[in-house]
Amino acid sequence: MAPAHVHLPPAAAAAAAMAIVCALAAASTAGAFAASGWSRGSATFYGGSDASGTMGGACGYGNLYAQGYGTRTAALSTALFNDGASCGRCYKLTCDFRADPRWCRAGASVTVTATNLCPPNYALPSNDGGWCNPPREHFDMAQPAWEKIGIYRGGIVPVLFQRVPCKRHGGVRFTVSGRDYFELVLVTNVAAAGAVRAMDVKGSRAAGWTAMSRNWGVNWQSLAYLNGQGLSFRVTTDDGQTIVFADVVSPSWTFGQTYASKLQFK
């Protein structure tokens, strides 16, 4: 039997077509994060053989061991750091063996998370010590990560790098610090794009969402009075994916606690 054909009025047909277009647009926005193309840069190392000197940093992650980032981290030069907007991004690096066969480990690669800023040093030339001066795209990597691709005595090596999806275990986590009328929320363990572009908060007694602003690194602030309320967060990563973490923080929350969600970016 041939399928029946339904004839819609012109206005209804146009509305249906628009709905399909919007649905397709939403689906494309929510697609999985894909790796970028390859670029050329350079890499040095810091923090010691155990990476203990990499703790803290301009992104605000604090103890990188406790947060799950370990020793595979890097400080980005100003050209890559983007005033903190690149915090949490993941990069795959390989040493450019053709450019420096003496100090590169052939065929090796490592993936790191951006957790710090490598500040410029204008007292030194960009090709002799001022490795993080603009416009250089440079990675000052935790030493254990750097030694995956380079030989220690080399000190600095040319690299090929690409931005890649971050792989994380478990859901996104939120640490609430600050004081009354000043909630400072640290967002960690973000997969896929890794970097947060925008964030909103809604208390359980609030009618709608309140936009938060980036205080520094991955710390987002709100100036609302949210004590005694359950908290929901709406987080958008820099590839446009948005997730609503409904009631992820219980009404009995206190400053200094971390709350883990079961949701994750893809």
Side-chain angles (χ1 to χ4, degrees), residues 84-138:
S86 296
C87 290
R89 289 182 177 181
C90 292
Y91 295 91
K92 182 179 181 179
L93 296 96
T94 183
C95 199
D96 190 349
F97 187 80
R98 288 185 178 181
D100 191 351
R102 182 181 183 188
W103 301 120
C104 285
R105 298 186 186 275
S109 65
V110 66
T111 298
V112 297
T113 301
T115 58
N116 201 356
L117 167 68
C118 179
N121 183 355
Y122 296 113
L124 297 175
S126 297
N127 63 351
D128 188 14
W131 311 124
C132 292
N133 294 350
R136 289 186 66 113
E137 293 187 322
H138 183 84

Side-chain angles (χ1 to χ4, degrees), residues 4 7 75 78 194 254:
H7 297 280
T78 304
T254 58

